[in-house]
Amino acid sequence: MYEETTGEQMEGGDSSEEDEDRQKDPPPEPTRFGWVQGVMIRCMLNIWGVILYLRLPWITAQAGIGLTWVIILLSSLITGITGLSTSAIATNGKVKGGGTYFLISRSLGPELGGSIGLIFAFANAVAVAMHTVGFAETVTDLMRENGAVMVDRTNDIRIIGIITVTCLLGISMAGMAWESKAQILFFLVIMVSFASYIVGTIIPASPQKQAKGFFSYKADIFAANFVPCWRGPEGSFFGMFSIFFPSATGILAGANISGDLKNPTVAIPRGTLMAIFWTTISYLIISATIGSCVVRDASGILNDTLSSSSSSETCVGTACQYGWDFSECIKNSTCTYGISNFYQSMGMVSAFAPLITAGIFGATLSSALACLVSAPKVFQCLCKDKLYPLIGFFGKGYGKNDEPLRAYLLTYIIAACFILIAELNTIAPIISNFFLCSYSLINFSCFHASITNSPGWRPSFRFYSKWLSLLGAVCCVVIMFLLTWWAALIAFGVVFFLLGYTLYKKLVGLNNVEDHVKNYRPQCLVLTGPPSSRPALVDLVSCFTKSLSLMMCGNVIIVKPSLHVTWLNQRKVKSFYRGVVATELRSGVSMLLQGAGLGRIKPNVLLMGFKTDWCSDTPQAAHNYIGILNDAFDLQYGVCMLRIREGLDISHINTTSAPACIQTTPQPSTVFQKKQGKKTIDIYWLSDDGGLTLLLPYLLTRRKRWARCKVRVFVGGDTDKKEEVLALIKKFRLGFHDVEVLPDIYQNPQPGNVHQFENMVGRFRLDTNPKLDSDSGPPRQQEEPWMITDQDLERNKAKTHRQIRLNEVLQDYSREAALIVITMPVGRRGVCPSTLFLAWLDFLSRDLRPPVLLVRGNQENVLTFYCQ
């Protein structure tokens, strides 16, 4: 394309400067990340935050190694279940920017997604403060060790915290590329600090370290530290849990930048679950090792050894067995070292303490930076959807990556306000409730989408359970109230207030309508006549709609009305029944098409049986039958037509028609009530009608009777088309893996079959004998539009041969299938007479053992790539 344009410009002699500038300076490509750098490392850095270095040893001292492991595993259970739910939602279509808000709003709707997205963005903003305070606390302790104090400890933390968050703001506003490079550096620093810590636990303890409570690995220390020893106002299981849990809440750091990932549907599940696994292992190892090496209380004084003059019987504490007497500080509660008192215990144990300090800097700053990026990204998407007033100002993006600079500034202001608290143990429980609330809604959204059996819920990630998601949601809610009941009430109060506001304002649509996928459900109107006369048609449609969507059996009553609801109930078919009285079939069906349903709950697919007696019936009846299809298309209905070899109408077999006798009439069995075993469902996807031809077989395979059937998709074209179709079906998340290309579908049919077709339509041919009056032709065709002229046959010759050839292909490939689903051909009105069109349908589906379902959508997209 580019070369052709250049050549034309050379021949013309000149070109505009604007075109040259456009060719020389193409728009810059936005930065995109893979699953390792974009998700796994980002999540691990966000999880490895301030709690890991500064509070995990202290929590181990309080709860003991055993209960600390319970706290870690319980937190990982919640985050793991949430990770599975997030993975399922993220793989349910193409994910765009907006992270958590996008996932929830496209799953449960913008009303609930908006409220939880706002809370999640706020929680991330507060998390920036928590990690920054942890960094400032470490810097302040280092300054105090070296005799440098600005004001006092609390105000020093505030000053350093404000300066730090301002620097982080500058890095994040510089763009995702700079932020990602900084994250890689932080990750390397943390890994080196871990190595230094593990080496330090193995090295024999020096007298200086022994005075501070470190004795390397000792079984007695492990046994003493295995049981809990609660101290202080936070001294309880749930008190420790509330402080630890924020350290496990970084699992959505990758999902929150979904718009900056190369392939979010692959990166989010893989990176998130790997991050949860490795960080959980690291927490368990550090808790066990620190609890096996360091006693709870130590004075740090070298002279506090167990001398020969002092009695070992009066010595208190585990350190007595190793020649140290910390009894005095233990009794007076004045010990300044040990894992119960010294927050920097990991640095003391480490082989080289400055590396732990560097690790603390890397963990706290990386987590703060990740939260500082996540909150504006989520908030920007929420602002763009204009769900709430006065926030649209913050949705404006800048640069090639659409950076939300205004949202960055708002996050900075919120974080700065919470930094002023300057107390880590106060900020952490505040965040716990908000994150637990967010996770409960994420798990519930996954459960809700699964339990409602929505056709649009087709996640490619299969390793999730709706009941596990429900368990995760319930656990989050229960723990919220066990931690701080009043904070839980406030959190849910905010959610319900925001939800109520959006419902009150009736904000049922998003600003970007094309991004919010309609959750298409086939609402079926079935032309059954009396339902008991066509049970196969009723059973097939029930497979599509049972416990899923609307089914309505329609009957045009020309003689006298009768009741048929009892028969449907006896057959356990969940369907409405609607009968209309009309003088003839087409007008009655037109009334049903226009009047069926209530409000938005109305049919969008018309299902009917094939008219097998069209050749022997009057031509007017055949014309009206095709007219019903045209009326349905005009009213934006999809159309399905079922044909089975033995016929649909069994009214001649079951002669009982009185409603009172229906209870005693034995229910006829049909092929759609039987288990199909390992047969095949063959789909002949011959044109794009919106995807209805693919969706209906997918719904069938979700039923137990059809679950073991293998779905085969046949398409026409060249053999190199197979990979393209497979890639397309994979994006639709239908789970169909068997695609066959039929290059011979466009060959000429056998002459014998062509001759049979000509005999079939011979009755409806218009005699154009020139010996007859020349004025009798056109008027007769106007009076009898079903009649076929030679011009009609010649004009539609290619389509006619294609339908004949398709029947030959069906005979070759699908003779033993359980069901054949094929795209219905469409004859253009005014070009193709109704009887010729009906002959196409007849010849296409004739002499086939399996049931044949002809499907034609109304061009509405029922399958999409996007997350819904």
Side-chain angles (χ1 to χ4, degrees), residues 150-171:
M150 289 183 284
V151 184
D152 54 50
R153 190 175 188 276
T154 301
N155 285 309
D156 287 357
I157 291 175
R158 291 169 178 163
I159 295 170
I160 295 171
I162 295 296
I163 295 172
T164 303
V165 78
T166 304
C167 295
L168 293 177
L169 176 67
I171 295 175

Side-chain angles (χ1 to χ4, degrees), residues 51 65 78 348 538 792:
I51 304 297
I65 296 173
I78 293 173
M348 182 264 292
V538 172
D792 293 330

Side-chain angles (χ1 to χ4, degrees), residues 19-296:
D19 289 341
E20 291 179 359
D21 293 340
R22 216 168 14 244
Q23 292 172 3
K24 291 178 181 177
D25 301 315
E29 286 290 328
T31 305
R32 295 285 185 260
F33 306 107
W35 73 273
V36 175
Q37 185 179 356
V39 181
M40 189 184 78
I41 291 178
R42 185 178 298 275
C43 287
M44 291 177 74
L45 288 173
N46 209 7
I47 294 171
W48 284 331
V50 59
I51 304 297
L52 170 66
Y53 289 98
L54 298 183
R55 292 298 182 271
L56 186 57
W58 175 71
I59 293 172
T60 304
Q62 290 268 0
I65 296 173
L67 286 183
T68 300
W69 275 38
V70 173
I71 290 172
I72 294 170
L73 293 175
L74 179 59
S75 301
S76 298
L77 174 66
I78 293 173
T79 57
I81 293 174
T82 307
L84 293 175
S85 299
T86 303
S87 300
I89 297 172
T91 57
N92 190 44
K94 185 176 179 181
V95 179
K96 292 191 173 182
T100 309
Y101 165 70
F102 183 91
L103 297 178
I104 298 178
S105 65
R106 272 57 175 179
S107 178
L108 279 184
E111 299 87 357
L112 195 54
S115 58
I116 201 63
L118 201 59
I119 285 181
F120 189 79
F122 178 77
N124 272 279
V126 179
V128 175
M130 182 188 76
H131 295 296
T132 306
V133 166
F135 170 80
E137 187 179 287
T138 304
V139 174
T140 302
D141 290 342
L142 289 174
M143 291 171 59
R144 292 173 67 85
E145 287 177 7
N146 292 279
V149 179
M150 289 183 284
V151 184
D152 54 50
R153 190 175 188 276
T154 301
N155 285 309
D156 287 357
I157 291 175
R158 291 169 178 163
I159 295 170
I160 295 171
I162 295 296
I163 295 172
T164 303
V165 78
T166 304
C167 295
L168 293 177
L169 176 67
I171 295 175
S172 59
M173 293 181 71
M176 289 297 297
W178 283 96
E179 186 265 348
S180 181
K181 291 175 183 177
Q183 295 282 30
I184 294 293
L185 177 62
F186 290 144
F187 182 78
L188 294 175
V189 169
I190 291 173
M191 296 307 294
V192 172
S193 72
F194 281 170
S196 175
Y197 165 75
I198 295 298
V199 171
T201 60
I202 301 172
I203 296 176
S206 63
Q208 290 79 8
K209 288 189 175 182
Q210 289 183 359
K212 295 179 179 179
F214 172 65
F215 296 95
S216 193
Y217 291 104
K218 302 292 182 183
D220 292 333
I221 296 178
F222 175 82
N225 288 338
F226 189 83
V227 295
C229 181
W230 308 114
R231 301 181 187 181
E234 301 100 349
S236 65
F237 177 84
F238 286 106
M240 294 299 105
F241 181 88
S242 67
I243 293 173
F244 174 81
F245 187 74
S247 67
T249 57
I251 61 170
L252 298 179
N256 287 337
I257 62 161
S258 55
D260 298 297
L261 300 175
K262 292 178 182 176
N263 190 354
T265 56
V266 174
I268 292 175
R270 188 179 298 175
T272 301
L273 296 177
M274 289 296 292
I276 293 172
F277 175 77
W278 289 116
T279 53
T280 301
I281 295 297
S282 66
Y283 280 137
L284 295 174
I285 291 174
I286 291 173
S287 173
T289 53
I290 199 76
S292 303
C293 297
V294 185
V295 297
R296 283 191 168 99

Side-chain angles (χ1 to χ4, degrees), residues 507-527:
L507 295 177
V508 295
L510 293 178
N511 185 37
N512 297 323
V513 180
E514 69 275 8
D515 292 346
H516 187 215
V517 179
K518 294 179 180 178
N519 193 2
Y520 182 89
R521 295 169 184 259
Q523 318 277 4
C524 298
L525 172 61
V526 196
L527 295 185

Side-chain angles (χ1 to χ4, degrees), residues 420-466:
L420 298 179
I421 296 176
E423 179 53 53
L424 194 62
N425 291 357
T426 303
I427 300 174
I430 297 174
I431 300 173
S432 293
N433 263 293
F434 284 112
F435 275 115
L436 282 168
C437 184
S438 302
Y439 291 170
S440 68
L441 265 294
I442 291 173
N443 285 311
F444 179 75
S445 68
C446 182
F447 168 76
H448 176 271
S450 301
I451 201 68
T452 54
N453 212 16
S454 166
W457 177 248
R458 304 186 301 274
S460 56
F461 181 81
R462 302 295 182 184
F463 304 102
Y464 77 96
S465 167
K466 59 185 176 184

Side-chain angles (χ1 to χ4, degrees), residues 376-537:
K377 292 281 186 181
V378 174
F379 192 59
Q380 181 190 32
C381 186
L382 195 151
C383 293
K384 285 185 175 181
D385 286 341
K386 300 179 181 178
L387 290 177
Y388 305 110
L390 306 178
I391 65 172
F393 172 81
F394 298 101
K396 183 175 175 58
Y398 297 87
K400 65 178 182 179
N401 281 348
D402 197 31
E403 297 291 346
L405 301 185
R406 296 175 180 176
Y408 277 125
L409 291 173
L410 179 63
T411 305
Y412 169 79
I413 293 172
I414 295 173
C417 292
F418 279 87
I419 286 173
L420 298 179
I421 296 176
E423 179 53 53
L424 194 62
N425 291 357
T426 303
I427 300 174
I430 297 174
I431 300 173
S432 293
N433 263 293
F434 284 112
F435 275 115
L436 282 168
C437 184
S438 302
Y439 291 170
S440 68
L441 265 294
I442 291 173
N443 285 311
F444 179 75
S445 68
C446 182
F447 168 76
H448 176 271
S450 301
I451 201 68
T452 54
N453 212 16
S454 166
W457 177 248
R458 304 186 301 274
S460 56
F461 181 81
R462 302 295 182 184
F463 304 102
Y464 77 96
S465 167
K466 59 185 176 184
W467 302 114
L468 199 61
S469 297
L470 179 62
L471 175 65
V474 172
C475 286
C476 288
V477 174
V478 170
I479 292 173
M480 283 178 67
F481 282 93
L482 289 176
L483 294 182
T484 316
W485 64 268
W486 55 267
L489 288 177
I490 292 174
F492 278 107
V494 172
V495 170
F496 290 128
F497 172 78
L498 295 173
L499 175 62
Y501 174 82
T502 52
L503 292 176
Y504 175 74
K505 291 293 186 181
K506 297 181 180 179
L507 295 177
V508 295
L510 293 178
N511 185 37
N512 297 323
V513 180
E514 69 275 8
D515 292 346
H516 187 215
V517 179
K518 294 179 180 178
N519 193 2
Y520 182 89
R521 295 169 184 259
Q523 318 277 4
C524 298
L525 172 61
V526 196
L527 295 185
T528 59
S532 58
S533 67
R534 291 175 175 81
L537 191 57

Side-chain angles (χ1 to χ4, degrees), residues 84 94 291 333 339 382 605 772 848:
L84 293 175
K94 185 176 179 181
S333 300
I339 54 177
L382 195 151
V605 178
L772 297 176
L848 293 169

